[in-house]
């Protein structure tokens, strides 16, 4: 479980992807390995991954084919920046929102406009995801917990404050970039409950 509060920006040191097996990433970091153990979970661009090897300033993770199909991790290259967050520790304050690290799909940045010190960013996603996205609701974009400012039939808007621009990779991203999207799990639970209620009423 994560909160969507990015702890640091890491750097891809080795990217072995697009292989039939043994797809891996090695990620340079300062904080993420400070208390790491083999088997720990770290969110990389919002994707919950398992630490398979580490030293003081890097860690490695394996990537399943499903992960490469559903996320933007297969597009990463040596030197790419990634958001990193360690799993939530018991007793810590819960900032952001409940983020599982289970990416639902990807979106494309289609507009970036200045808004004072903030940036207004628009992201286009598949219609299958838009049903879970509501104005003023939560969403995780590359693992960053953000509030939705507006919606259309196929896109949503975000207001990215100066702090978030400096602390997460969304401040570096450009129009056309692919981002990982995890919708609010509560929306999916509600949909499932309603579906089963309708099924019971129909029987």
């Amino acid at each position: 479980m994560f909160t969507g509060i990015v702890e640091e920006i890491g750097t891809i040191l080795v990217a072995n992807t697009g292989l039939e097996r043994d797809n891996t990433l090695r990620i340079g970091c300062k904080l993420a390995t400070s208390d790491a153990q083999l088997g720990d979970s770290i969110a990389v661009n919002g994707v919950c991954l398992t630490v398979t090897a580490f030293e003081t300033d890097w860690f490695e993770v394996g990537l399943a084919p499903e992960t490469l199909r559903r996320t933007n991790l297969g597009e990463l290259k040596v030197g790419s920046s990634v958001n990193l967050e360690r799993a939530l520790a018991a007793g810590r304050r819960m900032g952001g929102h409940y983020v599982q690290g289970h990416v639902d799909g990807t979106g494309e940045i289609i507009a970036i406009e200045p808004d004072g010190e903030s940036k207004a960013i628009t992201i286009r996603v598949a219609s299958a995801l838009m049903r879970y996205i509501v104005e003023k609701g939560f969403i995780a974009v590359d693992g960053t917990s953000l509030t939705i400012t507006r919606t259309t039939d196929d896109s949503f808007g975000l207001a990215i404050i100066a702090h978030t621009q400096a602390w997460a990779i969304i401040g570096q991203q450009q129009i056309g970039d692919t981002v990982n999207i995890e919708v609010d799990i509560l929306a999916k639970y509600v949909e499932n409950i309603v579906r089963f209620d309708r099924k019971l009423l129909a029987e």
Side-chain angles (χ1 to χ4, degrees), residues 2-8 31 43 83-88 92-99 138 140 142-146 163-164 167-168:
F2 305 91
T3 67
I5 304 299
V6 174
E7 293 187 293
E8 69 172 317
L31 177 65
N83 292 328
L84 300 178
E85 182 190 355
R86 294 169 295 175
L88 179 64
R92 286 181 59 191
R93 283 196 175 98
M94 176 72 183
H97 71 284
Y98 287 115
V99 176
F138 288 122
D142 280 334
T144 307
S145 175
L146 298 166
H163 173 81
T164 305
W167 203 248

Side-chain angles (χ1 to χ4, degrees), residues 10-200:
T11 304
I12 300 299
L13 303 178
V14 178
N16 293 321
T17 57
L19 308 175
E20 290 186 9
R21 61 180 184 175
D22 299 330
N23 291 279
T24 59
L25 294 174
R26 178 176 290 189
I27 302 165
C29 60
K30 295 179 180 179
L31 177 65
T33 54
S34 61
D35 57 355
Q37 301 290 327
L38 289 179
D40 278 357
S41 295
I42 296 178
V44 179
N45 276 2
V47 184
C48 179
L49 297 173
T50 301
V51 175
T52 58
F54 70 94
E55 293 291 347
T56 57
D57 58 353
W58 60 263
F59 66 96
E60 288 186 353
V61 292
L63 303 175
E66 168 70 2
T67 303
L68 294 173
R69 285 191 295 266
R70 193 175 284 265
T71 73
N72 64 7
L73 298 188
E75 300 178 12
L76 298 175
K77 300 177 176 59
V78 172
S80 294
S81 297
V82 290
N83 292 328
L84 300 178
E85 182 190 355
R86 294 169 295 175
L88 179 64
R92 286 181 59 191
R93 283 196 175 98
M94 176 72 183
H97 71 284
Y98 287 115
V99 176
Q100 295 182 297
H102 302 162
V103 171
D104 295 295
T106 58
E108 179 188 359
I109 296 176
I110 59 172
I112 302 175
E113 299 175 354
D115 186 11
E117 293 186 350
S118 298
K119 287 183 179 179
I121 294 181
T122 304
I123 298 174
R124 181 166 53 217
V125 297
S127 58
L129 291 183
M130 281 305 305
R131 65 193 299 167
Y132 306 111
I133 298 173
V134 297
E135 187 173 331
K136 302 305 179 185
F138 288 122
I139 197 161
V141 177
D142 280 334
T144 307
S145 175
L146 298 166
T147 301
I148 297 154
T149 58
R150 62 194 184 281
T151 62
T152 70
D153 289 342
D154 65 352
S155 68
F156 64 91
L158 302 166
I160 309 301
I161 63 173
H163 173 81
T164 305
Q165 293 174 47
W167 203 248
I169 64 171
I170 198 164
Q172 308 170 11
Q173 290 171 316
Q174 305 295 320
I175 292 173
D177 283 354
T178 300
V179 294
N180 292 329
I181 303 294
E182 181 184 334
V183 300
D184 189 352
I185 184 63
L186 297 180
K188 292 190 285 186
Y189 278 130
V190 169
E191 180 186 54
N192 199 51
I193 290 168
V194 170
R195 181 168 64 245
F196 272 90
D197 282 349
R198 286 177 176 171
K199 181 179 178 182
L200 291 172

